Amino acid sequence: MNRFGLRRSIPADVKRAIRQRCGFGCVVCGSSVYEYEHIEPTYAEAQRHDPDCMATLCPSCHGKVTRKLWSKDRIARASADPFCKREGFSFETLDPGEAHPYIVFAGLTTHNTPIPVQVEDQPLMRIDPPEQPGAPHQISATFYDDQGRLALTIDRNEWRPSMKHWDVELVADRLTIRSAAREIALSLRFVAGGGIEVEQMNMLVKKWRLEGSRDHLTVYRPDGGILNMTQCVASYCKIGLQLGRGTQVGTGRLFGGL
């Protein structure tokens, strides 16, 4: 703690207020991987964690401030006009590795499957081969919230959360997007050198509703039918789960229960 007895730990509601004001990314460069920085007063002179006097900075930009390569005035100017609010997005990149990444889509896990999930004619997730030897595979994906609004896009390993949601929080390797207080639209985990694990979702896409936890996926069909999937595994399929045009799970190796 500093000389005023202020601890370095920042209350969750203050962190959220800072994220919301800064656009869920570094105020300078837009990276979705960030830390919380006291601008003025500095932490040493602060008597409370004031969200209006703090900003989100990625480790690289934060390090430049700490080493006094950048001034606090520069960060104050960036905080007044955050990159993410100005450009409309925050971003970061994945590292799925050279081997074909696996995907956990709630109750369905896919291995060596180029299109893990497709709704009618739209792949929700797609895995393309490396652009060159030694490069990682390329993951692209589109996730929506329960109102059908865009929540997260991944374009060839670069992910961008929507700026229109109530909160976007990255803690370690877990990204959580909330549409309102205590309402999680999407929670997923990025596994370095492995893949993506969707741990919670509530998504509406093309009149199909998908609700899932780490091990279970419920699909509500436009015609009123319901599909339940629990700990299913599809391997070596072209499409892991096809919804619409003859709903089916990939015909490669399939384990688990429907």
Side-chain angles (χ1 to χ4, degrees), residues 21-34:
R21 184 177 59 78
C22 294
F24 312 120
C26 175
V27 295
V28 177
C29 71
S31 171
S32 294
V33 179
Y34 51 78

Side-chain angles (χ1 to χ4, degrees), residues 100-103 108-116 232-241 249-255:
H100 200 287
Y102 72 90
I103 299 295
L108 173 68
T109 298
T110 66
H111 299 279
N112 295 288
T113 299
I115 301 178
C232 291
V233 179
S235 299
Y236 296 94
C237 308
K238 180 180 179 181
I239 300 177
L241 173 62
V249 180
T251 55
R253 304 173 192 170
L254 174 63
F255 309 91

Side-chain angles (χ1 to χ4, degrees), residues 5-124:
L6 182 66
R7 298 183 180 276
R8 285 193 176 275
S9 58
I10 303 171
D13 60 334
V14 175
K15 286 184 176 181
R16 183 173 60 250
I18 299 168
R19 292 194 299 271
Q20 291 172 337
R21 184 177 59 78
C22 294
F24 312 120
C26 175
V27 295
V28 177
C29 71
S31 171
S32 294
V33 179
Y34 51 78
E35 300 162 344
Y36 300 90
E37 166 79 347
H38 283 266
I39 305 173
E40 184 62 39
T42 64
Y43 169 71
E45 300 300 323
Q47 299 186 45
R48 67 188 183 96
H49 297 295
D50 184 349
D52 292 329
C53 299
M54 300 177 68
T56 48
L57 289 176
C58 73
S60 177
C61 293
H62 199 177
K64 293 172 184 177
V65 176
T66 301
R67 291 168 176 78
K68 301 188 184 304
L69 298 173
W70 285 1
S71 69
K72 290 281 190 176
D73 286 344
R74 175 171 183 166
I75 304 307
R77 290 194 300 271
S79 182
D81 185 23
F83 175 99
C84 302
K85 292 288 187 72
R86 185 175 68 249
E87 300 297 329
F89 62 88
S90 62
F91 69 94
E92 198 46 71
T93 55
L94 304 175
D95 174 27
E98 295 181 42
H100 200 287
Y102 72 90
I103 299 295
V104 177
F105 192 82
L108 173 68
T109 298
T110 66
H111 299 279
N112 295 288
T113 299
I115 301 178
V117 182
Q118 179 163 306
V119 177
E120 298 180 4
D121 58 352
Q122 178 185 349
L124 292 187

Side-chain angles (χ1 to χ4, degrees), residues 20 48 53 84 100-101 119 138 142 145 166 192 195 211 224 226-227 246:
Q20 291 172 337
R48 67 188 183 96
C53 299
C84 302
H100 200 287
V119 177
Q138 301 176 88
T142 308
D145 67 9
W166 186 71
E211 297 179 2
I226 299 176
L227 171 66

